Each structure stands twice: as structure tokens, then as C-alpha cells.
Amino acid sequence: MVSLVLTSSDILRALLLALSVVWLLSDLAFAKHAGITRHYKFDIKMQSVTRLCQTKNIVTVNGQFPGPRIIAREGDRLLIKVVNHVKYNLTIHWHGIRQIRSGWADGPAYVTQCPIQTGQSYVYNFTLTGQRGTLFWHAHISWLRATLYGPIVILPKKHASYPFPHPYKEVPIVFGEWWKADTETIINQAMATGGAPNISDAFTINGLPGPSHNCSAKDTFKLKVKAGKTYLLRLVNAALNDELFFRVANHTLTIVEADAVYVKPFKTDIVLITPGQTTNVLLRAKSKTPSAKFAMSARPYATGPATFDNTTTIGILEYEKSASASKSNHKNSPLLKAKLPQFNDSSYAMKFQRKFRSLATAKFPAKVPKNVDRRFFFTVGLGILPCSKNQTCQGPNNTRPAAAVNNVSFVQPNIALLQAHFFNKSKGVYTTNFPTNPPFKFNYTGTPPKNIMLSSGTKVVALAFNTSVELVMQDTSILGAESHPLHLHGFNFFVLGQGVGNFDPKKDPAKFNLVDPAERNTIGVPAGGWVAIRFLADNPGVWFMHCHLEVHTSWGLKMAWVVNDGKGRKQKLPPPPADLPKC
């Protein structure tokens, strides 16, 4: 029998070895769950592009239109260097990204940052936390997002699966809006004359208008599919001023995700998608190759009194033919059209929105705030403002159309709100007296009041960290009832309920869905109706909320929430990065 005598140095060495193994294993475990850092470079440059028989110079990222696709996994960190080579000052917004404690990277001009000036650059630095699905990026200043946009694809963490059948292929379908004229000239002229800006000339699918437009048969998006396979279409509405109905002729779609949150799957023939919204749908190709092509069509859902672009953009779904099938037959196969609802079918819109439900499972819970700390009631809609000095406007008594939340038309500051907040220099930049309720009550969806003049100012709502907020947004019929897609930066919110007419604070809350409401970042306030949402203000910073119809944003339908730091280290906003653009 051999006796084993261990010295103290042996014991120490064994202990260190054991500890190093534990550290290594924990590091490996962490590495398995931690994301990687992905680098992108966005060179903002002019590019000559031809559409609708005309060539014009447009602002692009890396000369691409639409812009490049960003692909990452949940948990990844993104470092995106944006270099501005054009004459316009600009910013980029990563639409729908929660930006947890990274508000400096959110992107709305004069809200979280000053614009990147010509010849300057800025690195957007943020981590994708607790999100997976489809979002998108776009310029967030003036009307530059007309051509500056592209999809963001957030895949689940490695070895995590989708809660729906795994698709054979994934395809981004990005809807846009195209003007023959220069969009910056259009909005600048409209703001100078006090008139409505000119409407677009076409809608596009992945930058292409399709065969219903002149010179555009070659500019048509084509999706080739194999019989029997399932495809995930990642739909993004990047249009400026129009909500859209979308349909694939003779095919049913299954909606599985909205605004990068999984939903209880439901089947539909027609998708309604507002600017700012994203929707993932499964398309199951027919089991046998048909002898026809199928139109993928999108056209507006428009409820307001103004004129709108009533054109249809068409892409084509084609089935791959077997090698034995004749090519000539394929060329002559008929194109089956997609029937879409009437442009103002608000009852379809309401029914469709109500179908969205969170999964509300143990793995994907719906964390609806059950108790409410602060309640707000916001009217959203149009009105008028006096014309600026030395300006002649087209409205009665030298007025111009404007838009507001609770009668306040937002005035853009000259210094970014987030900087003013962080450095305690809000004086002269903004005030925290944004009204909790409309300044006066009236029949919001009935006959408008005689006085439709709005007030204007740079007002925000200040919230303590972790405040739970309930917000009812009510459309008004001033200058005509209209659907308004409202987008909240920095948070997802839960859609508790919606209805037609005026919100009834006594009866309507009893019908709120607090079990599995849809979780979104953009929601249509129904034309002549209301929507109720809740969110938890657990993200310190300054967060923009605005209508995603760009004309209404230009007219002032926007405001901001200031969420103050909490007490813990992870409840505070870090200082700004050294390269934050200067005003």
C-alpha cells in the first residue's frame, strides 16, 4: 500500500487548477449566451437611381437602395459607423430597438442627438437585448427617410428555435414610397407656403414599383418559390405617409410576429401594416407547381380628408418549374391579381388590429404592468397655427395646417433634449409641463369646436424610473378624423384595447385585455376612435413619441417622455460617447 502525502503547495496547486476549471467553464457558459460584436459601416452618399422613366440623385447608404440589411442575433452588440458625405445633416434611428441604457444611439434629431454634419461621423453603439424578429433602420430628420432605410433582422440566440415551423427561406419585403421630385424640396416648399406637401408618385416593394407603373415592368420585385416549401416574409412598412394593405393572390398568410415580438399565430389573406410597423408572416407554397404567377400587391389604407397616392405596387410570386417543364409556357403563364379592401375600410382595420395577441407563455411572457402609477389621456389630431412672420400661408386668415398632441404642437429645439436633460441644462430648451389631459373637453369625434387653433412649445412629460404608465390616445375629427400610427421610442407597450368614438373612462377599461395583449412599438390610433396602451418606464433617457406619418411629424404631432435615472447603477444612463455630434 502506497501512502500519499500532499504538501501545502500541492493542495494550493490543485485548488488553483480547480478554480481555473470553474472559471473556464463559467466563461464558456457565459460565452455561449453572450452575443458577439458586429461592425457595420454606413457611408451616406448620393446615388443616381432611375424609377418611373426618370433619373434622380438620392441619398443612400453605401450607394444601395434600399439600404443594406443588418443581420444579428439576440444579445449581439452592434457598432455602426455612419459617415456623412452628403450636403444634408442627418441621423439614423434603429426603429424598435429598445436601446436599454443606450439612448445616445437612438437617433431622432434634436431629441437624443444633434445631427451628423457633412464630413462628420458617429458610431452608434447598442446591444440587442431581449428582442428577436424584424425591425428596420431609417433616417430620422426632415424627409430623408424617403430613401434612407433598410431592414434589421434579429435572429434568436444560437440553438434557440422559432416558436413556429422553421421556414425553408426568409425574405425581407420592405414597402417604400417614391417621389419623382426631390423630397427635401417638397417638404421645404410645403412648410414655406403652409400647404400640404405633394403626394408620392408610387409605392415600392424592395425599392421597385412594379408593372402597374410606366417603364416599370423591369423594376418589379420577383420572389421565386418551390412548391410545398414554407417561406418567412419579413414585412416592413418604410413608407412616409401611408398605411398599406398587402395581399398575395390565391395564398393565405400566417402572422407569427409583429414589431419583433412573437404573437399567437393567426391566418389572414390581407395584412394591414402602418408606417413604422413590421410583421413576420409564413407563406406556404402550394403543394403542386401551378401554371400561373401571383401578384403580391400593396396599396393604401387612407382615412383622412387629404388626397393620397392611390396607386398599387405589385411584386410577382413565381413557382420554380421543374427542368422538364417548358420555359415558354412559364413566360406566358397568367398573372393572377390580388383583391384588396376599399382604401377607407376602417372596420377591416379595426378587426385586423384586434387579432394580435402576445404568446403569453412561460418562455415568452406578456409582462403587462398590472398596477398603474400614472394615467394620461392624449388627443391626437390636426388643427391650425398662425403663419410664421414674413410668411404668407394658404389657410384662412393666414393660417397653416398643424398637428398636435393634447393641443400642443411640438417645436423642435436647437439642442438635443437628451443632452439638456443629462447635463441639467433644460432651461430654455424644454419644460416638463406637458398636459396630462386635453386643455379643454369637447366631443372629440363629433362636430369640431369653433376654435381649432393649437398652442405650440417644447414640452415633455417627466417620469420617475420604473413608473408604470397607462395612456389612452384619442383621435379627433378636427380637419377630419384620421388614423394615426403612433410610435414610441425606447419601449415596447401593450395594446389593452381600442374602440370607435370617444373613450369612455367608466365603461371601456372593464374590457381591457390584461392577459395576452399585443406588445408593439407602433400602433394605429383608429380614425374617429381611441387606443389604450401600458408601458413600464424602466429605461432612463429621453424618448420620442410621434405619428409615423411624416407629414404629421413635420406639422408637430410629436412629444417626448423624460425618464429619470433610478438609484441602482444599472438604472442610470451612462455619459455620452466622445464622438456624439455637436449642434
Side-chain angles (χ1 to χ4, degrees), residues 113 437 440 490 573:
Q113 69 166 98
N437 292 286
F440 57 94
L573 179 71

Side-chain angles (χ1 to χ4, degrees), residues 382-449:
L382 307 180
I384 55 171
L385 277 172
C387 207
S388 307
K389 280 179 186 172
N390 310 322
Q391 194 184 346
T392 306
C393 290
Q394 297 168 0
N397 303 319
N398 204 26
T399 55
R400 64 178 182 88
V405 181
N406 272 357
N407 223 54
V408 180
S409 192
F410 186 85
V411 176
Q412 185 172 278
N414 299 320
I415 296 164
L417 298 178
L418 186 57
Q419 280 168 285
H421 162 67
F422 187 85
F423 294 109
N424 292 319
K425 291 186 177 173
S426 61
K427 198 174 178 190
V429 181
Y430 66 84
T431 57
T432 54
N433 61 340
F434 191 90
T436 305
N437 292 286
F440 57 94
K441 286 185 177 176
F442 61 98
N443 180 359
Y444 306 115
T445 54
T447 307

